[in-house]
Amino acid sequence: MGQIEWAMWANEQALASGLILITGGIVATAGRFTQWYFGAYSIVAGVFVCLLEYPRGKRKKGSTMERWGQKYMTAVVKLFGPFTRNYYVRAVLHLLLSVPAGFLLATILGTACLAIASGIYLLKCLGTLGGLPASVGEWRPPDGAGPATLLGHPSCWTSGLPPCLPCPWHLERRI
Amino acid sequence: MLSAVTDLGSIESTVSKNLPVVSIHQLGLCLSRASASVLNLNCSLILLPMCRTLLAYLRGSQKVPSRRTRRLLDKSRTFHITCGVTICIFSGVHVAAHLVNALNFSVNYSEDFVELNAARYRDEDPRKLLFTTVPGLTGVCMVVVLFLMITASTYAIRVSNYDIFWYTHNLFFVFYMLLTLHVSGGLLKYQTNLDTHPPGCISLNRTSSQNISLPEYFSEHFHEPFPEGFSKPAEFTQHKFVKICMEEPRFQANFPQTWLWISGPLCLYCAERLYRYIRSNKPVTIISVISHPSDVMEIRMVKENFKARPGQYITLHCPSVSALENHPFTLTMCPTETKATFGVHLKIVGDWTERFRDLLLPPSSQDSEILPFIQSRNYPKLYIDGPFGSPFEESLNYEVSLCVAGGIGVTPFASILNTLLDDWKPYKLRRLYFIWVCRDIQSFRWFADLLCMLHNKFWQENRPDYVNIQLYLSQTDGIQKIIGEKYHALNSRLFIGRPRWKLLFDEIAKYNRGKTVGVFCCGPNSLSKTLHKLSNQNNSYGTRFEYNKESFS
């Protein structure tokens, strides 16, 4: 199976859960469900999760594909220092954020999805050697050099070797 | 979108006809039904582009004569992704609408029509509705499965961690099973006795039990004065605008339409997977394994009843390397009538290919030159699946083709060149421009023999303009390089630096006035984009360039 980078998937999941929380919260507050204030909480939590997860972390090996406009959020997130870099903290944070939204029907799906994302982050942490807390790679400060490199080009492109695709079907995959 | 709009319209009218005057809900129901019909359509269509054997058959069969139709098949992955995104969006709408419905079912519980309610009593907690009914529970599970599948299908994940995408995407089968259960709940009902209990009719039994006198009831509901001269209620049955109910309404659940929508494509897809499994169950016989410079390995093999067209690809599965992984490789040599051998070229990068190479070639011989290494014992078992179609097959069907390869992207064109070497007359192709760009001069040796043989053959047959080869070495350290002493034809066609595409296109347009030139590119995205843009530009010679795009991850 090779190396699977769980953190990247957990990041996508958390971003999607944030959007689901926002949607559920809007449905709850607009529909004036009973206990609709949970819906309002869900919108706020969803926005927070989205902003936190928007910058894509650096990969262990290979190039990282940054999301559009990520560098602005990165500067803000870096202010929180080690709280946001550490995956354990992220996993626990997501779990705690997801609990209140579970009380309302409209946002219960957001809870489930954010809990799954938190679980994947936890899996990532537990999988590291010696139980050391894994941390998100250092975000590179914006260097003004323009947009990030094209995604996934294996390092052989820069090392002078020909493009290393065995088959055109998965042009940028290393297999 | 069309299905949603028409369905919304028809549902509005049906709802107002069938639901009683005291309606439980209107908008939430309409939205959820409309989005459900869009989901029906998309869930059935999404499976069709994945029947790759069927598509390969259609591409090659005589039944699809038009090139335009065949080019549609090139877009099958894009179509699949579009359907996936639509399913995602409309699932969101469907879930939101049903959440509102659940709330309305419990708040507006109607005692008059108990059968129509999903809730069992007034103000039943909507969460209980969600988790204790079959549609609710399966719906929640489906959303979770969809969430896992979609988050793992983004471009970033596919390119960096294909395994996560592949393993989660196989959850689609769970999704479809849940979908079949989801619609069997029988929540939506229609009335079976519309003639004896039309909507809006008055039930005399009920009005007496509610202690409302008849005149008051009528004035409340019809805003008209009680007509004079009517003494008996029975006479109302003959009156035109009011009807008396003969019997209580009876309801029956709608037949789940979804089963009709998804059964066809699901059966087709399952049949295709079964066929592919049976076909790939027999291992191939490896004839030879050849080591090429720049970390490329060639494998030649034979298999009974294996037929492939040039440009197609196969997937390799080697249980000794990895039990679950399948990897696609383009065929560089196709079996012909006289020779059953076919082959692939693999570039060794990544753990699967490294382990595969270590099994096939003992480490001591990996640094040796291009000598064929014949070792027929102890090869691991290798299974192949395919062949599957690709747009490169079309290059033989244009009168003039321009094929541009970047590095190892030359593999689909290698099979085309091998086919032309074998016999070029049956095909429509009359002129081929072949441009190969590499960074390392050693890479050209992968197919240097093939190119020289082809060049010589066409010179012998007095068709020197059939194949026009240009090789570009995009990076050099300044030292004069040649490919090899015996490759005269190639050395004279070797250029240093990147190709100047605009000039090349202009030259090809000038020498092929008024023709349609097929452009094929296998290489990095930037190269592909450049060529696509140039193909769409007009030129003064009336030549049309048709760009055939392969869709990569």
Side-chain angles (χ1 to χ4, degrees), chain A residues 79-123:
Chain A
L79 289 173
F80 289 93
F83 287 113
T84 45
R85 268 210 303 273
N86 195 312
Y87 281 144
Y88 272 132
V89 172
R90 275 216 186 171
V92 171
L93 180 69
H94 286 325
L95 203 58
L96 291 176
L97 281 175
S98 65
V99 166
F103 290 109
L104 190 60
L105 174 67
T107 52
I108 218 169
L109 285 169
T111 303
C113 297
L114 196 56
I116 293 175
S118 154
I120 306 274
Y121 268 129
L122 216 58
L123 234 150

Side-chain angles (χ1 to χ4, degrees), chain B residues 48-75:
Chain B
L48 296 177
M50 291 297 114
C51 300
R52 279 187 266 156
T53 314
L54 182 65
L55 294 184
Y57 169 74
L58 281 176
R59 208 188 266 275
S61 77
Q62 307 303 319
K63 296 185 181 48
V64 185
S66 154
R67 183 157 63 211
R68 216 168 270 173
T69 323
R70 280 198 296 271
R71 275 161 65 90
L72 281 179
L73 296 175
D74 296 349
K75 295 274 175 263

Side-chain angles (χ1 to χ4, degrees), chain A residues 1-2 4-5 8-9 12-13 17 56 59 103 105 113 151 157 162-171 173 175, chain B residues 126-127 130 147-148 151-152 154 160-164 328-330 349-351 353 408 439 443 522-524 550 552:
Chain A
M1 217 183 273
I4 291 190
E5 291 195 28
M8 202 165 173
W9 189 26
E12 300 277 345
Q13 286 188 338
S17 319
R56 199 178 263 135
R59 284 171 61 194
F103 290 109
L105 174 67
C113 297
L151 167 67
W157 269 112
C164 33
L165 301 168
C167 155
W169 192 251
H170 298 291
L171 213 57
R173 206 154 54 94
I175 55 163
Chain B
R127 281 173 298 182
L130 198 66
F147 169 73
L148 288 174
T151 49
T154 55
S160 53
N161 276 302
Y162 196 77
D163 295 322
I164 295 183
F329 295 94
T330 314
V349 60
D351 47 353
T353 38
I408 193 71
R439 290 189 187 209
S443 315
C522 185
E550 169 81 81
F552 305 136

Side-chain angles (χ1 to χ4, degrees), chain B residues 42 46 75-88:
Chain B
N42 280 285
I46 201 171
K75 295 274 175 263
S76 51
R77 249 182 86 255
T78 314
F79 183 70
H80 179 85
I81 293 175
T82 314
C83 285
V85 171
T86 316
I87 287 180
C88 186

Side-chain angles (χ1 to χ4, degrees), chain B residues 443-496:
Chain B
S443 315
F444 291 121
R445 298 179 83 159
W446 303 333
F447 295 108
D449 288 310
L450 170 63
L451 287 170
C452 278
M453 280 199 291
L454 201 64
H455 172 82
N456 290 334
K457 171 184 158 131
F458 283 112
W459 274 78
Q460 301 282 332
E461 295 192 18
N462 202 20
R463 298 289 301 246
D465 60 333
Y466 196 102
V467 174
N468 303 282
I469 300 170
Q470 281 191 353
L471 307 174
Y472 285 86
L473 189 65
S474 55
Q475 271 185 10
T476 180
D477 49 6
I479 301 171
Q480 179 76 6
K481 289 194 171 157
I482 54 167
I483 298 167
E485 293 227 338
K486 52 174 177 162
Y487 304 119
H488 300 294
L490 299 184
N491 286 323
S492 56
R493 286 167 172 78
L494 176 66
F495 300 94
I496 309 295

Side-chain angles (χ1 to χ4, degrees), chain B residues 256-268:
Chain B
Q257 260 186 16
T258 311
W259 291 351
L260 297 173
W261 280 101
I262 66 173
S263 52
L266 198 59
C267 289
L268 190 66

